[in-house]
Amino acid sequence: MKNFNISMIALAIGLAFSAGVMAESLSKNQYESHVKNIEAEYKVAKVGCDSFAGNANDICVAEAKGKTSIAKAELEASYKPSVKTRYDARITKADADYTVAIEKCDDKAGNDKDVCVKEAEAAKVHQIADAKTNMKTSKANAVANEESDDANAKATKKRLMRIRVPRQISAMLIKIGRAH
């Protein structure tokens, strides 16, 4: 049990370090290195699960697999940031949480187990709905920002034409306005 706690602490520190580094943009070599680190952390966590028996082992393995899949999805979202990769990361988290919850439900019996499974399913549906909402909101914000930028560029062009700034300077200022 003591060995398992040390392994889990090492896993937590590794994941925390990986998350901090992932906030920056990643090169392909850094990305591949992080993937190897995530896979190594999974192996350590899985070895730590060997000290458990029965359903406790199944729960531990499901948690380790879930953390690995979440870490990989978040890494992908950092490596190739987009609305789609962030959505995929949220869906991966929902799936991992659901799998762990179902494993935990296996410890229960009868009506308690049925209620547990229904709660796990409801939580997954809720997380997926949140992910879809976030994706749609992000897309709508991107469209609104683009339209706002276009409107600002047109307004800048009109202002410059009114004050009769030479065309070369006017064109340069309009390009600068679109870049922001």
Side-chain angles (χ1 to χ4, degrees):
M1 188 65 176
K2 188 175 185 180
N3 191 18
F4 173 72
N5 288 337
I6 292 171
S7 297
M8 291 309 290
I9 290 170
L11 175 66
I13 291 170
L15 287 175
F17 177 77
S18 296
V21 172
M22 286 189 293
E24 303 170 7
S25 107
L26 299 171
S27 70
K28 186 173 183 175
N29 289 338
Q30 290 172 321
Y31 172 79
E32 291 169 355
S33 174
H34 286 295
V35 169
K36 288 178 184 175
N37 287 341
I38 291 168
E39 289 169 354
E41 290 167 3
Y42 168 72
K43 289 177 184 175
V44 168
K46 192 168 181 202
V47 167
C49 294
D50 291 343
S51 63
F52 295 110
N55 197 45
N57 178 282
D58 295 344
I59 293 169
C60 182
V61 169
E63 287 174 343
K65 284 181 181 179
K67 287 177 183 175
T68 299
S69 62
I70 291 168
K72 285 182 177 180
E74 288 175 350
L75 177 63
E76 185 70 20
S78 292
Y79 182 57
K80 296 178 182 176
S82 70
V83 173
K84 175 78 170 112
T85 56
R86 286 188 297 275
Y87 171 78
D88 291 342
R90 288 184 182 107
I91 296 300
T92 299
K93 182 171 179 1
D95 291 339
D97 290 348
Y98 175 75
T99 301
V100 170
I102 291 298
E103 284 298 332
K104 288 180 179 180
C105 291
D106 286 346
D107 280 340
K108 300 177 180 183
N111 190 44
D112 287 343
K113 183 175 182 175
D114 294 340
V115 169
C116 183
V117 168
K118 292 292 183 190
E119 287 174 349
E121 290 170 354
K124 181 178 179 181
V125 167
H126 180 73
Q127 285 179 315
I128 290 171
D130 283 348
K132 287 179 181 177
T133 301
N134 284 333
M135 182 175 66
K136 288 178 183 178
T137 302
S138 295
K139 286 182 178 179
N141 286 340
V143 168
N145 287 339
E146 188 174 317
E147 289 173 357
S148 176
D149 290 345
D150 289 344
N152 286 336
K154 286 178 183 177
T156 301
K157 184 176 180 180
K158 282 183 180 181
R159 277 194 304 263
L160 292 174
M161 295 310 238
R162 269 190 257 138
I163 59 172
R164 297 184 183 187
V165 174
R167 288 193 184 274
Q168 292 173 337
I169 295 173
S170 176
M172 182 177 69
L173 291 174
I174 290 170
K175 286 181 184 176
I176 292 171
R178 286 186 183 153
H180 295 288

